């Protein structure tokens, strides 16, 4: 995760003309956090019954449940702030939004790879979420601060879990070393997006509601760098291409399939209660 | 079996402050640090604990059933170790 | 190797306990029988007849395998759960099943087998799991039906096992039963919600009940007492306190418990012979198609091959991870860092 492209216009608070109103930006900020958690929970759910050891089914289940809990709180809050008529609850937001309305980063929507790649993804994502929720403890949005207070403990555990595994895979056998290094290379083009600022985050940061992703990048990089060093792994080179646009609703091909699975029952029965 | 199995660990959980750690069960883990984490994920997901110990099963020394009689039966006739053994007048308090 | 009972590090040729030696048959048989007669518990390092040990290993392993394979039919619905609340519940439930499998493998390991041996036997088709999991989960209502009927039947089977004569098995079952009480309730809640829903939802509910009712009744196994008994180990298992009720008794209890619930759900159970028998004080039900039971048990079920191949794939794809962890533990130990900080 490297520092994002400079965005001088936003730094001075001189936002682009035509920027949405505060309610919309606040909602989008919450959706970006909630969608990250929701989509990663969806991917981790795919691991149950496929983990390398039954104990790991348990562990990945716990991580997925934590993220799902975060997603539910954040989406519920987003619905409150949005205050649409009728109001959209967590399920309306999860099940009935179209792909372009999802604001998660590409990293979490990537299809499930091998366990090495999953631990590489979790290491980056949990490290980012750890810095994020730590910064959000003092959010001016009291509900968001409350979510952060609970979530920061959860993601500290996720980060530790990924750390333990990256250490073991990196410094385990030649095969595991090669596989987890390949996993790191595979996810690297998706890391930078975590640290990129976007309009809703700029607004949230100015208002004391949120935090600029770019302000988290250095700590995240430092943590992951230290783990990789301990694991005898190397930080991949900066990729030529990196994912962008997730925060504005532009996703990869995998996202449509993920949403098809996530949403199809709910969408097949409009208005039904489950 | 071509594969080396992960060793077995015993897990002890302190249910809440003020109580001792109690044996909860066992699990497999590659090493003690992972055993602690697996123990947390397996044995405390319903708030069953505030602290966990793990110990490699092979590191525990236990009494054997063969020694059962010599270990435990001799305690049976030491009834004077129990307060109910003693006869005191009924109208004396705080005894 | 488990519980508060530990043995010396035997090599493979040392009998696990006195039960496998000459002297056992005389003095120690009396001791074992005495414990059983007194309804006391057998603990791992006690002398026990080899047949008792083997029966338990087979039964506990099959039980553990059922939990692990049982993760699959529901696990495939985690991604599709129709609300986030349902998704969280289902994820927690499937995770619980992994946990229950682990408790049970631990109990089996106290009898001198290694979990990896048991898994190898499962993967090779040498040990069974509950045949119910060879049926597919076709709709969301099936997730509810599994909770209501399959977990309901499982609980009926499992509660008596909390008093099983083998201590580690009984203790594992106490934990399993405590945790599993929510499984059946969440299943019924899914179905209850469907019953109050749209016409399509009610049709989904009825369809699931139609497909799961008979396989759920088969879960108790063929008749094992009286004239209809088809052999097996029931009499011995009952004498040993491993089994407490006959298959038919448990099945009747299950039917009596479930029929009023089905009425509450407003569904029709697919049995024209189902009627209340005032005289017996029980619900009568029609004949079970045991041919189907044996067919599915022997591999001719819709999902047998798929369940095993999914399980084997997860195991094989995870081999490099498990090996890496062993290698790393070796390095930690070599560096003297084995202890927890």
């Amino acid at each position: 995760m490297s520092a994002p492209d400079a965005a001088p216009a936003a730094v001075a608070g001189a936002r682009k003309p035509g920027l949405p109103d505060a309610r919309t930006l606040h909602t989008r900020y919450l959706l970006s956090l909630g969608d990250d958690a929701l989509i990663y929970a969806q991917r981790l759910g795919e691991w149950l019954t496929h983990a390398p050891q039954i104990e790991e089914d348990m562990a990945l289940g716990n991580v997925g449940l934590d993220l799902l809990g975060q997603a539910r709180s954040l989406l519920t809050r987003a619905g409150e702030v949005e205050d649409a008529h009728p109001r959209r609850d967590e399920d309306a937001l999860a099940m009935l939004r179209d792909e372009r309305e999802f604001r998660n980063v590409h990293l979490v929507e990537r299809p499930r790879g091998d366990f090495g790649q999953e631990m590489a993804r979790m290491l980056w994502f949990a490290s980012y979420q750890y810095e994020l929720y730590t910064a959000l403890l003092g959010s001016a949005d009291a509900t968001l601060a409350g979510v952060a207070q609970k979530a920061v403990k959860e993601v500290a555990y996720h980060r530790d879990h990924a750390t333990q595994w990256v250490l073991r895979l990196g410094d385990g056998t030649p095969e595991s070393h090669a596989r987890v290094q390949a996993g790191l290379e595979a996810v690297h083009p998706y890391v930078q997006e975590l640290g990129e600022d976007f309009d809703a985050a700029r607004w949230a940061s100015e208002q004391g509601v949120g935090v600029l992703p770019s302000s988290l990048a250095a700590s995240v990089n430092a943590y992951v760098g230290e783990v990789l060093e301990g694991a005898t792994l190397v930080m991949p080179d900066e990729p030529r291409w990196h994912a962008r646009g997730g925060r504005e609703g532009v996703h990869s091909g995998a996202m449509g399939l993920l949403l098809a699975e996530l949403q199809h029952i709910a969408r097949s029965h409009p208005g039904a209660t489950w | 079996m071509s594969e080396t199995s992960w060793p077995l660990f015993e897990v002890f959980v302190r249910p809440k402050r003020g109580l001792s750690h109690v044996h909860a069960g066992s699990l497999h883990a590659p090493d003690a640090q992972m055993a602690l984490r697996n123990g947390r994920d397996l044995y405390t997901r319903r708030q069953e604990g505030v602290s966990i110990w793990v110990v490699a099963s092979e590191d525990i020394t236990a009494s054997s059933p063969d020694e059962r009689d010599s270990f435990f039966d001799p305690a049976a006739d030491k009834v004077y170790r129990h307060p109910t053994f003693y006869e005191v007048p009924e109208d004396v308090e705080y005894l | 190797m488990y519980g508060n009972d530990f043995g010396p590090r035997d090599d493979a040729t040392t009998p696990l306990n006195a039960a496998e030696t000459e002297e056992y048959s005389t003095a120690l048989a009396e001791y074992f029988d005495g414990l059983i007669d007194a309804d006391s518990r057998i603990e791992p390092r006690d002398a026990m007849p080899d047949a008792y040990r083997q029966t338990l290993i087979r039964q506990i392993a099959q039980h553990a395998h059922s939990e692990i394979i049982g993760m699959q039919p529901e696990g495939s619905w985690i991604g599709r759960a129709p609300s986030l609340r349902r998704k969280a519940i289902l994820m927690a439930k499937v995770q619980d099943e992994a946990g229950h499998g682990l408790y049970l493998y631990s109990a089996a390991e106290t009898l001198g087998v290694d979990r990896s041996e048991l898994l190898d036997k499962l993967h090779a088709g040498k040990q069974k799991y509950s045949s119910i999991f060879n049926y597919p989960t076709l709709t969301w209502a099936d997730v509810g039906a599994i909770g209501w009927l399959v977990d309901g039947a499982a609980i009926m089977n499992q509660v008596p096992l909390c008093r099983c004569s083998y201590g580690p098995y009984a203790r594992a079952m106490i934990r399993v039963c405590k945790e599993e009480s929510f499984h059946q309730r969440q299943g019924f809640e899914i179905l209850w919600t469907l019953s109050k829903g749209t016409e399509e939802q009610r049709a989904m509910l009825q369809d699931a009940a139609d497909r799961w009712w008979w396989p759920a009744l088969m879960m108790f196994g063929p008749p094992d007492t009286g004239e209809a008994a088809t052999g097996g180990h029931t009499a011995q298992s009952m004498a040993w306190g491993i089994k407490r009720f006959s298959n038919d008794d448990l099945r009747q209890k299950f039917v009596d418990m479930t029929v009023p619930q089905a009425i509450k759900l407003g569904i029709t159970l697919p049995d024209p012979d189902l009627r209340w028998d005032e005289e017996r004080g029980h619900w009568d039900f029609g004949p079970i198609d045991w041919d189907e039971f044996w067919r599915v048990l022997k591999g001719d079920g819709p999902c047998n091959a798929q369940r095993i191949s999914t399980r084997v794939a997860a195991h094989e794809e995870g081999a490099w991870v498990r090996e890496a962890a062993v290698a790393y533990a070796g390095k930690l130990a070599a560096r003297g860092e084995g202890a927890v900080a």
Side-chain angles (χ1 to χ4, degrees), chain C residues 71-306:
Chain C
M71 294 167 70
Q72 291 182 32
E74 290 173 285
S76 70
W77 280 89
I78 292 174
R80 292 176 281 175
S83 73
L84 298 188
R85 175 172 176 270
R86 292 290 175 207
K87 191 187 289 289
I89 292 167
L90 188 57
M91 218 174 189
K93 178 174 189 276
V94 173
Q95 192 204 26
D96 267 355
E97 281 153 12
H100 297 170
L102 291 177
Y103 303 154
L104 289 160
Y105 285 126
S106 292
E109 288 191 283
T110 64
L111 292 158
V113 288
D114 192 275
R115 183 169 96 197
S116 59
E117 285 171 51
L118 301 177
L119 284 171
D120 286 346
K121 284 184 178 160
L122 168 68
H123 299 161
K126 288 180 188 154
Q127 279 179 343
K128 303 281 184 209
Y129 54 89
S130 180
S131 233
I132 192 85
F133 301 120
N134 292 321
Y135 292 88
T137 40
L138 302 177
T139 72
W140 172 250
D142 287 16
V143 176
I146 287 185
W148 176 45
L149 295 174
V150 176
D151 291 322
I155 290 168
M156 200 59 90
N157 261 325
Q158 287 169 357
V159 167
L161 289 172
C162 296
R163 296 191 294 117
C164 164
S165 64
Y166 188 58
Y169 193 21
R171 290 193 286 275
M173 289 320 300
I174 287 170
R175 191 178 273 271
V176 168
C177 286
K178 205 163 91 185
E179 297 187 353
E180 208 152 84
S181 54
F182 101 74
H183 293 187
Q184 190 190 13
R185 285 173 71 101
Q186 66 86 35
F188 190 82
E189 192 195 70
I190 287 174
L191 301 180
W192 177 239
T193 308
L194 293 176
S195 76
K196 294 181 294 181
T198 64
E199 200 174 313
E200 285 161 324
Q201 285 177 305
R202 288 199 302 276
M204 194 188 282
L205 160 63
Q206 181 62 55
D207 167 64
D210 288 343
R211 283 181 291 111
W212 289 95
W213 174 251
W214 288 112
L217 294 195
M218 292 176 200
M219 281 178 70
F220 296 93
D224 57 354
T225 49
E227 284 173 26
T230 49
H233 319 275
T234 297
Q236 181 61 76
S237 284
M238 284 181 134
W240 275 335
I242 296 175
K243 197 174 163 74
R244 300 279 180 180
F245 299 98
S246 76
N247 293 348
D248 284 324
D249 285 350
L250 289 170
R251 186 167 17 247
Q252 182 68 60
K253 255 177 102 172
F254 175 73
V255 171
D256 291 347
M257 173 189 87
T258 312
V259 172
Q261 296 169 351
I263 293 168
K264 185 80 182 166
L265 289 173
I267 54 176
T268 311
L269 292 172
D271 178 359
D273 298 327
L274 196 64
R275 63 179 56 85
W276 177 250
D277 185 330
E278 192 66 53
E279 209 168 299
R280 286 202 313 131
H282 291 293
W283 285 89
D284 291 338
F285 53 95
I288 291 171
D289 181 359
W290 292 112
D291 290 342
E292 175 180 330
F293 173 80
W294 291 113
R295 217 167 45 234
V296 175
L297 190 75
K298 286 173 183 155
D300 182 7
C303 300
N304 300 55
Q306 177 193 336

Side-chain angles (χ1 to χ4, degrees), chain A residues 179-193:
Chain A
R179 282 206 192 218
V180 71
Q181 184 66 49
L184 287 162
E185 307 281 347
V187 304
H188 212 63
Y190 302 89
V191 166
Q192 188 167 327
E193 191 184 14

Side-chain angles (χ1 to χ4, degrees), chain C residues 53-81:
Chain C
R53 180 188 304 278
Q54 296 310 326
T55 299
L56 278 168
I57 290 175
R58 189 181 58 241
Q59 180 172 336
I60 300 173
Q62 180 169 323
H63 197 159
H65 298 332
S66 299
E67 298 281 355
I68 298 305
I69 296 293
M71 294 167 70
Q72 291 182 32
E74 290 173 285
S76 70
W77 280 89
I78 292 174
R80 292 176 281 175

